[in-house]
Amino acid sequence: MPKGLKQSSAVVPIGFAVTESAANTFAQTQVDLNLSPLDREVFVALAINLDGSSPDAIATLNTAVNGSLTTTSQTAVQDLDNSNCLARRVQRIRADAAGGPMVAFGEQALETPPSTLEYIGIIATNDFFVQVEGVNCLSAKTMTGKLYGYRAVASADIYAALVQSEVLSA
């Protein structure tokens, strides 16, 4: 258990989904955690599973579906170097410009952290955000998944520091 926090719920899975409004258009959804700021409640993330649509296979074009889960609102899909990004997923199909063979690739952050980690992130504000964007795709793409974690009550100083850190790094 992280110092300064007291677990106040069992582990809960929170499902989510976001779909582009049109092909190759950035989309984001906000997922409310219903935390109580008066009770200094935070959400301790233990694991995240992101599943995205497959990119379209187009003979001469590289295609991709990119997604991320962040603690703050974003204007683009994020990578793990952003301190507010807890998970990312990239699926790519690389094509030969001459129409030769295509190769598929997938990259993502750990779905389940190593057992030596107590948690992978703490969400101090009331919600989190999920982003998706296709690249050179013919149809709108979707990113779905689950966030696993528990609610915890933070001491006043820890809560203030977590909220300030999250908001100021947005």
Side-chain angles (χ1 to χ4, degrees):
M1 170 66 62
K3 193 171 187 159
L5 299 180
K6 181 178 180 191
Q7 187 170 341
S8 61
S9 77
V11 174
V12 294
I14 300 170
F16 52 83
V18 59
T19 301
E20 295 176 305
S21 59
N24 310 311
T25 305
F26 172 78
Q28 174 175 264
T29 192
Q30 180 177 349
V31 181
D32 190 359
L33 290 169
N34 293 315
L35 299 174
S36 172
L38 293 175
D39 295 327
R40 302 180 318 273
E41 200 170 39
V42 298
F43 190 83
V44 180
L46 301 174
I48 300 166
N49 183 6
L50 289 177
D51 290 323
S53 300
S54 296
D56 297 327
I58 303 172
T60 59
L61 283 177
N62 294 330
T63 60
V65 175
N66 305 317
S68 57
L69 184 146
T70 60
T71 58
T72 57
S73 182
Q74 304 295 321
T75 58
V77 173
Q78 297 300 305
D79 288 325
L80 293 176
D81 62 342
N82 178 328
S83 63
N84 290 317
C85 182
L86 298 181
R88 71 181 278 274
R89 181 172 177 100
V90 176
Q91 294 175 268
R92 296 185 175 111
I93 295 178
R94 296 291 183 216
D96 183 339
M102 293 183 265
V103 178
F105 297 92
E107 304 171 19
Q108 78 182 58
L110 294 172
E111 285 190 10
T112 303
S115 61
T116 56
L117 292 180
E118 290 185 69
Y119 61 94
I120 59 171
I122 298 174
I123 302 172
T125 54
N126 207 32
D127 40 32
F128 65 92
F129 299 83
V130 182
Q131 301 83 24
V132 66
E133 186 172 19
V135 177
N136 293 328
C137 292
L138 300 174
S139 61
K141 300 303 177 184
T142 299
M143 189 64 57
T144 64
K146 285 201 186 293
L147 168 64
Y148 300 88
Y150 58 86
R151 295 170 182 270
V153 175
S155 63
D157 57 335
I158 297 294
Y159 182 75
L162 288 170
V163 170
Q164 183 177 16
S165 174
E166 189 173 305
V167 171
L168 290 178
S169 64

